Amino acid sequence: MYDFIEGVISWRGLNCVVATSGGVGYLVRVGERTKTYLVARPDARRVYVHHRVREDDETLYGFICEIDRALFEALLTVERVGPATALGIVDLGEPMHVWQAIRMGNAAFLRRARGCGENTANKIILALAGKGQGADA
């Protein structure tokens, strides 16, 4: 539904920012890496978003770039991986490094993310090893 919000980052919280555009402030949940980027670059004007709609909740998740968002969305397709775990995995580093860890079956790398234990890491590897950035599949 939404691709990005372009405007001013008017407030930064613990795990969220407010992106103001057209007189509307959008509360956007972000991971640590995205928040750090936005703090370091006050001129940043665009946040790519994933709009998650549930029966009792609507949440925007924000990312530095489309590749981060694509990784987040791929992780959400894995059974028992929710937004908090997916954000934690996106925070592990550049998307190409995360995809490389998945393709190489590096569960230890994935387990560094909060909420990602051994079983979840293995599920991610099984589900996504042939997909993602630079994959032939």
Side-chain angles (χ1 to χ4, degrees):
M1 176 174 256
Y2 298 107
D3 186 38
F4 61 86
I5 298 171
E6 191 166 277
V8 176
I9 304 303
S10 57
W11 182 79
R12 293 166 182 87
L14 183 60
N15 62 352
C16 59
V17 297
V18 172
T20 303
S21 179
V24 178
Y26 298 91
L27 181 66
V28 182
R29 301 279 176 207
V30 295
E32 191 61 37
R33 198 165 67 87
T34 298
K35 186 176 80 169
T36 300
Y37 173 85
L38 293 172
V39 167
R41 303 250 344 247
D43 60 327
R45 299 277 185 239
R46 183 176 285 187
V47 177
Y48 291 90
V49 293
H50 171 83
H51 184 205
R52 186 168 173 95
V53 179
R54 291 289 174 248
E55 187 175 310
D56 60 345
D57 183 47
E58 286 190 49
T59 307
L60 292 172
Y61 294 92
F63 306 93
I64 298 166
C65 63
E66 295 167 291
I67 298 169
D68 282 0
R69 180 180 60 193
L71 173 59
F72 176 82
E73 290 172 344
L75 290 163
L76 290 180
T77 67
V78 178
E79 181 183 351
R80 302 188 64 88
V81 174
T85 300
L87 273 180
I89 293 170
V90 170
D91 274 350
L92 291 175
E94 293 295 324
M96 66 182 210
H97 295 131
V98 177
W99 279 115
Q100 181 180 20
I102 291 169
R103 282 194 304 275
M104 294 176 66
N106 189 346
F109 178 85
L110 298 174
R111 285 195 316 266
R112 291 181 12 212
R114 186 177 31 137
C116 186
E118 183 74 31
N119 290 338
T120 302
N122 289 330
K123 283 183 183 187
I124 291 168
I125 290 165
L126 287 172
L128 301 179
K131 300 178 182 177
Q133 192 178 47
D136 294 329

